[in-house]
Amino acid sequence: MSQSATTYDEVPGARPDIAASWRRASLAGVEHTGPFVRLVPRDIDHNSSLLVGAGPVLDQLETSLTGTGFSTILGDRECRIVRRWDDDARTRDSLDALNIREGASMLEDTIGTNALGTVFETRHPVLIHGSEHFVETLRRFSCYGHPIRHPLTRRIEGVLDISALVATASPLLPPIIARAVHDIEQRLLGGSRISEKSLLAAFQEASGHCRGAVLAIGEDVVMSNQAASDLLSPSDIALLRVLAEDPPTRGGSALRLTLETGRSADVTVTPVPGARRGVLLKVVEHATGPHLTPAAISSSGHPRASAPTLVSGPPGSGRSTRARALAALPTKVLRAATALLEGEVAWARDFESAMKRTVGSVVVDGIDLLSDELLDLVIEGVDRRPRPQVILTSGPVDSLTGRAVNLAGTATVREELAPLGSRRNEIPDLATSMIRDVAANDSVHLTPGALHALTAHDWPGNLRELKAVIGHAVSRRSCGGIALTDLPEGYRLTTPARQLTALDRAERDAIVVALRAAGGNKVQAARELGVSRTTLYARIRQLRIEQY
């Protein structure tokens, strides 16, 4: 039976990614043979942030590839070709004949397994060699596709593909493209910062001259003043984001919309120069417009408020940050520390005021530190209807006592954050974000050696400890790469956690937890783990556990 008449899982030696791709293409109705009848090129935005950021990098890459027979294709976040390059007449004619040109969709349900569409499905780099292509007309090529992720949002902004005839394919395709993708991502980061600075400046100026609701919306950011937070619900803001995607051609023109409350409002949309796809919005509630009275709202019935959400974890594990990320706008954060510093009466007054809203979120940060009286107040507030979304944070659930246990019990949705030492894969992104917050120069970054050492550390102090180390390193390096010697001396060990097997890593984490619980007493830790003291000492040396 010919390969073109089979499904890929019937072909011996099929790689799982490719077999899954063939199944998806078959289910989508893609044919193994014949022309790409579904390819209909559309117009593209030549001023998109992806093309602007990738342009200089691809110019340099394509210059180095001249005469090699390689070709490059850049796809955007919708998997449409926005740039294609080749200097081989045969390749050019073949791609043109297949209608693989700018504006064409390369999704799997259009042309089957390919180095752009399959990357969008798998979310990771993919190498497709010759006969692994679903459609026969593509089997003369070997292709490698690599996702391009925005460094801030981690969203896939596009895919870069490098292709060559099967006979001329090289094992250097992946590293060549990986380097180019890295450079494109850094340019996207720089472009975002310039755009966001322009947007921030416009927002600050508008907010200073206007007491009404003001928002600034860009590609990946939304800014709002207090008036906007009070007036607009998350649904209203979502509607305004859609409006920002296609603003009026004439700046300053007003539009009328109906808010979630039923009231009407006039919205003025003004594009912001220098901010990519950035607009400034001023929202003025229309007093004479249609609106619902409180009685009408009551009679229509409020949706039943969902049960609270609990985010728990050890101190410094990021539970406060996670709670804010889960919260809907507008958000009121009430910290237990405020009750200690400013008094319980003031805290209770703020809580009661926040709970009178019917939209947005109230975050109670640190329920394990609240007094019994305040915990009773929160428990009573959770039972009210209507009320805003309630998000609670606490230390590990098994450490809660008294009324805090009762309040945690009302939360049917829970997220327990692990210590940073067991989330080492997150350290590169966290460290990069922290550098961006404290460094005055955008060029400051971690060198591979420093990142290696940070990833190897156990981080008993969690995010606070990592932030302190980053602050120390940035104070010593005002520009360029943070080297291993810029880190505090105790953080320069470079034993990489990724050299351990998954079983070793799990065992290492279990030993560290037992040692911490025992206060460093190895005899007690060994008893808790059910191993002899000799075995524990040996595993501590073998796993290079030096800090706990």
Side-chain angles (χ1 to χ4, degrees):
M1 180 180 292
S2 68
Q3 192 176 45
S4 63
T6 65
T7 59
Y8 203 78
D9 49 1
E10 294 172 335
V11 180
R15 289 188 287 140
D17 277 356
I18 303 300
S21 175
W22 276 48
R23 284 192 289 271
R24 289 192 296 267
S26 296
L27 291 172
V30 180
E31 299 289 341
H32 285 283
T33 59
F36 293 138
V37 295
R38 300 186 185 186
L39 278 188
V40 181
R42 296 181 181 175
D43 293 336
I44 61 173
D45 180 6
H46 291 281
N47 295 317
S48 68
S49 56
L50 175 63
L51 268 176
V52 172
V57 177
L58 295 184
D59 287 342
Q60 183 177 1
L61 172 65
E62 290 157 5
T63 298
S64 67
L65 293 176
T66 300
T68 63
F70 290 171
S71 63
T72 61
I73 297 178
L74 177 67
D76 64 10
R77 67 175 64 165
E78 295 180 354
C79 205
R80 290 194 175 276
I81 298 174
V82 293
R83 174 166 171 154
R84 197 195 85 189
W85 174 88
D86 49 69
D87 68 343
D88 178 75
R90 292 182 304 169
T91 300
R92 186 181 308 115
D93 292 343
S94 296
L95 295 177
D96 285 345
L98 294 170
N99 218 17
I100 298 177
R101 58 181 79 231
E102 288 186 2
S105 172
M106 299 295 286
L107 292 171
E108 283 187 342
D109 60 4
T110 303
I111 64 169
T113 305
N114 71 93
L116 278 82
T118 303
V119 167
F120 266 84
E121 290 288 344
T122 62
R123 321 298 283 182
H124 61 69
V126 172
L127 176 65
I128 301 174
H129 185 70
S131 60
E132 292 181 323
H133 286 95
F134 185 83
V135 178
E136 290 181 350
T137 49
L138 294 178
R139 293 179 188 171
R140 53 192 296 246
F141 296 101
S142 281
C143 309
Y144 175 77
H146 197 296
I148 301 171
R149 295 182 181 272
H150 196 290
L152 294 177
T153 65
R154 304 309 300 163
R155 180 177 64 188
I156 291 183
E157 296 292 334
V159 175
L160 181 57
D161 161 58
I162 186 170
S163 302
L165 295 174
V166 171
T168 59
S170 166
L172 295 179
L173 293 182
I176 289 173
I177 289 297
R179 177 70 254 179
V181 165
H182 175 269
D183 293 343
I184 292 171
E185 290 174 342
Q186 294 307 303
R187 287 183 58 83
L188 288 175
L189 177 61
S192 289
R193 287 176 175 166
I194 293 172
S195 176
E196 287 174 6
K197 287 179 181 177
S198 300
L199 192 65
L200 176 61
F203 172 71
Q204 289 175 329
E205 182 180 0
S207 298
H209 294 86
C210 177
R211 292 188 176 183
V214 178
L215 298 95
I217 299 179
E219 278 191 313
D220 301 300
V221 65
V222 176
M223 308 174 196
S224 64
N225 62 3
Q226 188 60 51
S229 297
D230 292 339
L231 176 63
L232 304 171
S233 72
S235 298
D236 295 330
I237 293 176
L239 178 61
L240 292 174
R241 293 200 68 160
V242 173
L243 182 62
E245 289 289 329
D246 187 21
T249 54
R250 296 180 58 188
S253 58
L255 301 171
R256 177 70 58 86
L257 62 81
T258 301
L259 303 179
E260 188 176 28
T261 59
R263 296 179 181 270
S264 61
D266 291 331
V267 181
T268 303
V269 185
T270 307
V272 177
R276 188 171 299 280
R277 296 183 181 176
V279 296
L280 193 68
L281 302 101
K282 297 179 181 179
V283 184
V284 179
E285 193 172 14
H286 202 63
T288 60
H291 63 275
L292 296 177
T293 64
I297 295 175
S298 176
S299 64
S300 64
H302 287 280
R304 182 173 179 81
S306 60
T309 296
L310 175 65
V311 181
S312 62
S317 59
R319 60 198 187 200
S320 299
T321 301
R322 179 56 181 159
R324 286 193 294 271
L326 292 172
L329 294 176
T331 302
K332 177 65 174 179
V333 179
L334 294 159
R335 298 177 177 84
T338 304
L340 300 175
L341 296 174
E342 300 180 6
E344 294 190 358
V345 173
W347 194 98
R349 184 173 58 247
D350 288 346
F351 176 78
E352 290 284 7
S353 176
M355 292 296 287
K356 289 179 181 177
R357 295 177 176 174
T358 59
V359 295
S361 302
V362 173
V363 176
V364 181
D365 195 0
I367 64 172
D368 44 342
L369 301 178
L370 291 176
S371 67
D372 286 349
E373 290 75 14
L374 292 181
L375 285 170
D376 285 340
L377 179 66
V378 177
I379 292 172
E380 179 186 344
V382 165
D383 287 336
R384 297 176 191 168
R385 299 295 186 273
R387 62 164 172 76
Q389 175 193 26
V390 176
I391 300 176
L392 314 170
T393 78
S394 75
V397 174
D398 55 9
S399 68
L400 298 180
T401 59
R403 289 178 173 82
V405 175
N406 297 335
L407 177 55
T410 66
T412 57
V413 179
R414 299 187 179 187
E415 287 193 22
E416 186 159 2
L417 302 180
L420 183 58
S422 61
R423 296 152 49 198
R424 292 188 175 92
N425 62 310
E426 299 179 21
I427 291 175
D429 286 344
L430 290 170
T432 299
S433 176
M434 290 176 181
I435 290 173
R436 192 164 54 246
D437 290 340
V438 299
N441 192 316
D442 288 348
S443 69
V444 179
H445 63 279
L446 289 165
T447 62
L451 185 57
H452 204 174
L454 294 179
T455 307
H457 191 64
D458 284 330
W459 302 108
N462 293 302
L463 294 179
R464 293 194 184 100
E465 183 183 3
L466 176 60
K467 189 172 184 178
V469 170
I470 292 298
H472 172 90
V474 170
S475 70
R476 301 187 58 178
R477 181 71 60 175
S478 59
C479 63
I482 294 174
L484 192 63
T485 53
D486 294 321
L487 300 178
E489 187 173 351
Y491 295 83
R492 298 175 188 172
L493 298 175
T494 57
T495 304
R498 62 175 175 270
Q499 287 186 349
L500 300 176
T501 66
L503 182 60
D504 284 341
R505 195 177 301 115
E507 183 178 352
R508 189 180 195 278
D509 291 340
I511 292 174
V512 168
V513 170
L515 287 169
R516 289 176 187 167
N521 187 318
K522 296 182 177 63
V523 175
Q524 183 178 339
R527 186 181 306 115
E528 186 68 25
L529 292 168
V531 299
S532 68
R533 185 174 59 180
T534 303
T535 298
L536 179 61
Y537 275 99
R539 292 305 287 162
I540 289 175
R541 287 194 302 272
Q542 292 164 359
L543 298 174
R544 302 184 184 182
I545 300 174
E546 299 172 6
Q547 295 186 0
Y548 45 85

